[in-house]
Amino acid sequence: MFFLMCYLFVNLACAVQTLLRTPNWRPRFKFYHWALSFIGMSLCLALMFISSWYYALVAMMIAGCIYKYIEYRGAEKEWGDGIRGLSLNAARYALIRLEEAPPHTKNWRPQLLVLMNLDSEQSVKHARLLSLTTQMKAGKGLTIIGSVLEGAYLVKKQEAKRSEQNIKAAMATEKTKGFCHVVVSSNLRDGFSHLIQSAGLGGMKHNSVLMAWPSLWKQAEDPVSWRNFIEVVRETTAAHQALLVAKNIDAFPKNQERFSGGTIDVWWIVHDGGLLMLLPFLLRQHKVWRKCKMRIFTVAQMDDNSIQMKKDLQMFLYHLRLDAEVEVVEMHDSDISAFTYEKTLVMEQRSQMLKQMQLSRNEREREAQLIHDRNTASHSALVAKANAAPDRVHMTWTKEKLISEKTRNREANVGVRDLFNMKPNQSNVRRMHTAVKLNEVVVNKSQEAHLVLLNMPGPPKNREGDENYMEFLEVLMEGLNRVLLVRGGGREVITIYS
């Protein structure tokens, strides 16, 4: 049996090497063809089972165990690995197929590029960022851990290799499955830009970026760190990639921890593709967050129909098959003049339209998704139109801004504008009325939550307002322990279709 099996594998190896067109496979027999090896392999296999089928099975099992043992021990071998060649060929074929068409919303999942900071000894600075990645991904999809070393590659190449080894060791400790990529660049800003643009290969490219909030940005004498952060926000937006920013990342749970209760609170200020709702669902698939309940808060004005809004949002979550508690928080117009749930389905209009049409349940679901997609497209058009306007620093709490805001709201009859139109006031950001009032409401409702997810507004076009933008985000998250700021990539990532 083992004699026949030896010749079986020899013929199999020759056939595989020929089919893969391995450059170093150069047989001397000029009339050789892979079909000859395949015929020899088939004859050996047939003779094994003709002689004794049960001994043939036992011999194959023993051969498999020997192969796995050698693979496990990592023994050095002088011969090539045909299985690795097959894997490379299959991976190339799959990457080409993935690039043929963009993924459908139903198949969308966060493919993460994690921007990791290293200390002076090239060790991972925030290991909990890897824990959060593991809890969010559960080993599914693409994960790329990227970092940047400042300097010249010829000088820093050994440090880059050591950094990769340290990151891979941290990934193994946190059970993060993915790839590691360290870039050496003349400055950190260009290095992160290169990672955002070029990480991944073909269809296996990231669609989301995860990073830690620069908590010590106020104490830093050099503003480069927080300016690099804002540039990352700008470049992910330009690349139509989602951005996740974790505040107090060192306070996030390890993979070994378990929450016995508590909540994950989502403050749904703006519908930004549905990522804000998808993330809690993904986190709850992991053992750490499995027993946490999901709560969704949305903000409305005092004159809005809050009861109807709550019912329609509950119906929308039912269609999405998401189990969550819904709460509509009412605030005075003066408190949220630059803040609203704007376009969080345009719920009342959708509800009235569906009632008038008197559609069946399946038709209602399809019509709801259609209206939802149309609203997203109109929102993207408004954003593109706003981006075409001349660059300037927008003041938030000025008399002129307030008057123009109220006038536009009365004419449009859609309430007040959303967070993405809000820019920090340069004179006194700490007392910005809207940010402080909303933060008070969020802290009052979600201070005891294990995790709070918030919409992340875009940075100002004019870079003179960058520091005020950082201060604005600081005010928005003040008093909360674990916060995940979420900025969508401009496409739908969740659907009602099963």
Side-chain angles (χ1 to χ4, degrees), residues 378-391:
S378 64
H379 177 70
S380 300
L382 287 174
V383 172
K385 185 176 179 182
N387 290 338
D391 290 352

Side-chain angles (χ1 to χ4, degrees), residues 108-134:
W108 194 95
R109 67 167 63 245
Q111 316 287 4
L112 288 178
L113 168 63
V114 184
L115 299 182
M116 186 70 63
N117 292 324
L118 304 176
D119 57 22
S120 58
E121 298 180 355
Q122 286 79 48
S123 298
V124 174
K125 189 177 289 187
H126 301 294
R128 298 292 178 89
L129 207 57
L130 297 175
S131 301
L132 178 61
T133 303
T134 303

Side-chain angles (χ1 to χ4, degrees), residues 340-357:
T340 187
Y341 90 115
E342 191 261 332
K343 213 183 73 50
T344 306
L345 277 184
V346 191
M347 296 179 183
E348 293 185 2
Q349 297 177 7
R350 189 192 68 133
S351 177
Q352 293 173 3
M353 185 181 298
L354 296 180
K355 288 180 181 177
Q356 291 173 2
M357 296 175 69

